[in-house]
Amino acid sequence: MKKEGKLKKNMAAMALALALLLTTLIACSADSASDEDTEETAVTELHAAFSAFNSDATTIFLDGSNVVIETTGLPDHETVYWGEGNALYKEEPDVDRTPSIMSSNNNATTITVDATPNLTGSTVSTQLNTIGIAVSGASIFNDQEGGGPLNQAAASLDWTGAHIGPGVYHYHLEPKAFTDDDENLVGILLDGVFLYGRKCTSTGTYPTDLDSSGGHTTATQYTDGEEEYHYHIINELYSTTGSYLAFAGPYQGY
Ligand SMILES: [Zn+2]
Ligand SMILES: [Zn+2]
């Protein structure tokens, strides 16, 4: 009997929470472009992996069944692209620098992703521009550069596989500033799936069961023993760069 009473209380609390949520959703619907996500269950807690993100650059919060990631796009590591005089400027004489530097560009980006990726088996190609946000706060791009293959622009990539163009500073290759042949978290992609380094914490080595996107389902350092689908940087050298593509797609979680 006692248990039942508690259950009823919980249900009443949930109903109240739902009513509040609905009120919020209705209030927000005027500036919401799509209502396709409203059928999904609201998530009540941010994924533990978000604790690894650079809090100076990013603001991350739940919005119903979505996670919103706002970032200044400014990474917390050294690169030649900060420009001389900056505390994080790194001299990289071999980098064929683009005309843009960090301090002259607006790197800010906001992405909204599903808090629970939609892993139904259908895949979606990645596009030019931001395909995810790294733990450093900067953007992740795919294997394309201005509609062509990346290797034509490879000379402008800095020590951590990134460069800056007319748009934001972004990584194409394994971002060695925070993952270098290890199992560290790299970031989150637009389909809501987390991307990790070349090794997996579940085995401590290169996974051998990856799908074509570099994904598989195991526990990670942020899932408390629960199995969860995630991507890895695929352990195959890209072109003549001597490094590894961050993510070429396709997305599995849209
Ligand atoms: Zn690029
Ligand atoms: Zn893994």
Side-chain angles (χ1 to χ4, degrees):
M1 287 303 278
K2 251 188 180 171
K3 244 189 184 166
E4 252 182 59
K6 198 174 178 191
L7 193 68
K8 270 187 189 159
K9 243 187 194 171
N10 282 344
M11 282 174 70
M14 276 174 69
L16 184 66
L18 198 66
L20 282 170
L21 180 73
L22 281 173
T23 314
T24 315
L25 283 175
I26 290 161
C28 293
S29 62
D31 48 77
S32 149
S34 144
D35 285 328
E36 65 182 58
D37 286 335
T38 48
E39 285 170 26
E40 291 174 22
T41 324
V43 175
T44 54
E45 216 176 309
L46 271 179
H47 195 292
F50 287 114
S51 64
F53 282 68
N54 170 12
S55 58
D56 287 338
T58 59
T59 306
I60 303 171
F61 57 92
L62 280 168
D63 181 13
S65 62
N66 295 321
V67 180
V68 180
I69 301 146
E70 298 173 352
T71 180
T72 62
L74 300 175
D76 50 2
H77 60 70
E78 295 185 335
T79 164
V80 67
Y81 286 108
W82 276 109
E84 273 175 72
N86 188 286
L88 289 173
Y89 173 72
K90 179 183 170 76
E91 220 173 299
E92 297 184 81
D94 295 337
V95 173
D96 182 15
R97 271 195 274 176
T98 63
S100 300
I101 57 168
M102 207 88 72
S103 49
S104 69
N105 272 41
N106 179 12
N107 290 275
T109 309
T110 297
I111 68 168
T112 301
V113 306
D114 281 348
T116 309
N118 181 20
L119 298 163
T120 53
S122 57
T123 59
V124 175
S125 308
T126 58
Q127 305 287 324
L128 283 177
N129 226 317
T130 296
I131 64 161
I133 301 296
V135 293
S136 66
S139 283
I140 301 169
F141 274 37
N142 66 7
D143 59 342
Q144 302 283 303
E145 182 68 26
L150 169 65
N151 54 7
Q152 64 185 6
S156 65
L157 297 173
D158 64 13
W159 71 286
T160 189
H163 62 181
I164 189 168
V168 300
Y169 177 78
H170 56 273
Y171 311 100
H172 286 282
L173 303 178
E174 176 182 65
K176 289 193 162 43
F178 44 92
T179 180
D180 188 0
D181 194 19
D182 57 33
E183 59 201 41
N184 289 351
L185 181 66
V186 177
I188 188 160
L189 301 187
L190 289 180
D191 61 351
V193 177
F194 289 101
L195 171 66
Y196 290 84
R198 283 185 278 142
K199 289 178 179 161
C200 187
T201 193
S202 63
T203 55
T205 185
Y206 309 116
T208 53
D209 58 345
L210 299 180
D211 61 24
S212 59
S213 305
H216 71 164
T217 304
T218 69
T220 77
Q221 55 269 50
Y222 299 105
T223 62
D224 200 19
E226 298 270 321
E227 294 201 331
E228 177 181 275
Y229 183 80
H230 57 277
Y231 302 122
H232 285 280
I233 291 178
I234 296 175
N235 190 36
E236 271 169 33
L237 284 172
Y238 172 73
S239 188
T240 55
T241 58
S243 192
Y244 308 83
L245 278 175
F247 186 78
Y251 300 112
Q252 303 281 341
Y254 263 124

